[in-house]
Amino acid sequence: MSSPDLGGVVVATALPYRADASAPAGLAVDYDAYAAHCRWLVDNGCRGVGPNGSLGEYSSLTDEERRRVARTAIETVGDDGIVVVGVHGPGSHQARRWAEVAAEDGADGLLCLPPTMYRANRGEVLAHFEAVASVGLPVMVYNNPIDTKVDLTPALLGEIAAIDNVVAVKEFSGDVRRVLEIREQAPGLDVISGADDVVLESLLMGATGWFAGFPNVFPAESVRLFELATAGELEKARALYEPLVAAFRWDSRTEFVQAIKLGMDLVGRYGGPCRPPRGPLTGEHRDQVTADMRRALASLGVG
């Protein structure tokens, strides 16, 4: 039986590709490299991984690739962590099907946006999450009003929280005031920080997890930040956090996938290219990410 607790540091995993002229956009998923990355994250103290999120470029994958990515994470992590699979889809029938597939393959939980290509109203949002939650796995709903144009407000989350198996919300509005408001209006719902550049503020106000981007780059240090924040060691947490925030801000920008992959390259991991519609960073953006990463790495005594 899966645990309903989806907290801790769960990394929204970036996905490596290798050149292959016969693959979509000339890039084939490198499953072996992905498995090694998932293992590295868990070995460095992360609670688990989240395949097929936006950072994992799920919308650029074929159905076969998308399922195999999730299976790779599940098989690699095994009993050493949790795997929270992204089941985002344009409609509830698609999202529910991805949830059923994730359950068949052994996922511990699901991450789900509202309908991804339609500005759903309240009733449609509730119906969407009811369909996904009916599969039986713990569900973390995902509030990303920037991308979906649907805002899961604290009041709406109060209603969503009444759905069986909905256990958490990944909060990506960037408004840290919401942490307490969600806890007031949906007291049974765990609040998970979804934006790296407000993670400390969110954890100090009661968030119980971090569904994270930049821990793809420095997982052990990110786990240390989470532990300091949840232990209330504010001075130490701030000292670790402040030099990282400039890099973390890229997690909330349009080019976040490219920026995090570049960060991985800069620390000697493999980030590599993205599939369309994401192209390479502009020279200006690449220079800024590099500068922000160098500051972060210098503070950590790396590089």
Side-chain angles (χ1 to χ4, degrees):
M1 183 69 179
S2 296
S3 166
D5 172 20
L6 302 180
V9 179
V10 177
V11 185
T13 43
L15 189 65
Y17 299 105
R18 54 180 174 77
D20 182 341
S22 67
L27 295 169
V29 177
D30 189 332
Y31 298 101
D32 289 342
Y34 181 63
H37 184 56
C38 290
R39 171 47 56 188
W40 181 68
L41 295 172
V42 172
D43 286 348
N44 274 273
C46 296
R47 172 114 193 274
V49 298
N52 294 334
S54 302
L55 183 52
E57 301 176 67
Y58 77 92
S59 58
S60 298
L61 302 179
T62 67
D63 285 358
E64 180 183 1
E65 289 171 330
R66 185 170 171 178
R67 183 170 193 177
R68 188 173 170 189
V69 165
R71 279 179 166 170
T72 299
I74 292 163
E75 291 167 2
T76 301
V77 170
D79 295 330
D80 296 329
I82 63 172
V83 178
V84 184
V85 176
V87 296
H88 321 301
S92 58
H93 57 302
Q94 290 122 320
R96 176 175 173 163
R97 178 58 191 148
W98 284 118
E100 290 169 344
V101 166
E104 289 170 12
D105 291 342
D108 297 288
L110 309 172
L111 178 70
C112 189
L113 285 163
T116 56
M117 299 175 69
Y118 169 73
R119 190 175 295 189
N121 63 31
R122 169 191 162 278
E124 292 163 339
V125 167
L126 290 170
H128 187 83
F129 290 127
E130 284 169 354
V132 170
S134 70
V135 172
L137 285 179
V139 176
M140 182 188 300
V141 301
Y142 183 1
N143 185 37
N144 188 339
I146 301 159
D147 286 348
T148 65
K149 307 297 185 289
V150 176
D151 191 0
L152 305 182
T153 63
L156 181 52
L157 286 168
E159 295 186 79
I160 294 169
I163 299 170
D164 285 347
N165 299 317
V166 172
V167 301
V169 57
K170 177 181 177 181
E171 225 305 299
F172 194 79
S173 70
D175 183 356
V176 295
R177 294 173 295 185
R178 290 206 173 185
V179 177
L180 286 178
E181 195 174 353
I182 293 167
R183 293 179 66 202
E184 291 165 6
Q185 300 216 29
L189 202 63
D190 288 338
V191 181
I192 308 299
S193 179
D196 291 356
D197 56 340
V198 290
V199 63
L200 179 57
E201 296 89 333
S202 300
L203 291 170
L204 292 174
M205 297 320 300
T208 58
W210 179 11
F211 209 100
F214 266 92
N216 280 284
V217 180
F218 19 70
E221 296 83 358
S222 299
V223 171
R224 176 66 176 154
L225 174 62
F226 179 84
E227 290 172 344
L228 289 170
T230 51
E233 297 197 44
L234 179 56
E235 187 174 342
K236 291 179 181 177
R238 281 185 61 180
L240 178 56
Y241 181 58
E242 288 181 18
L244 306 181
V245 167
F248 280 3
R249 289 190 188 112
W250 286 96
D251 182 54
S252 297
R253 294 179 181 166
T254 302
E255 304 84 4
F256 73 105
V257 181
Q258 297 96 318
I260 289 170
K261 284 189 164 184
L262 175 55
M264 293 167 68
D265 290 333
L266 291 171
V267 297
R269 306 298 299 175
Y270 176 72
C274 300
R275 272 190 184 162
R278 295 178 178 87
L281 292 169
T282 65
E284 180 182 359
H285 282 162
R286 187 177 183 88
D287 289 346
Q288 189 60 58
V289 173
T290 300
D292 293 339
M293 277 295 303
R294 283 180 176 155
R295 182 186 176 204
L297 294 174
S299 76
L300 298 173
V302 178

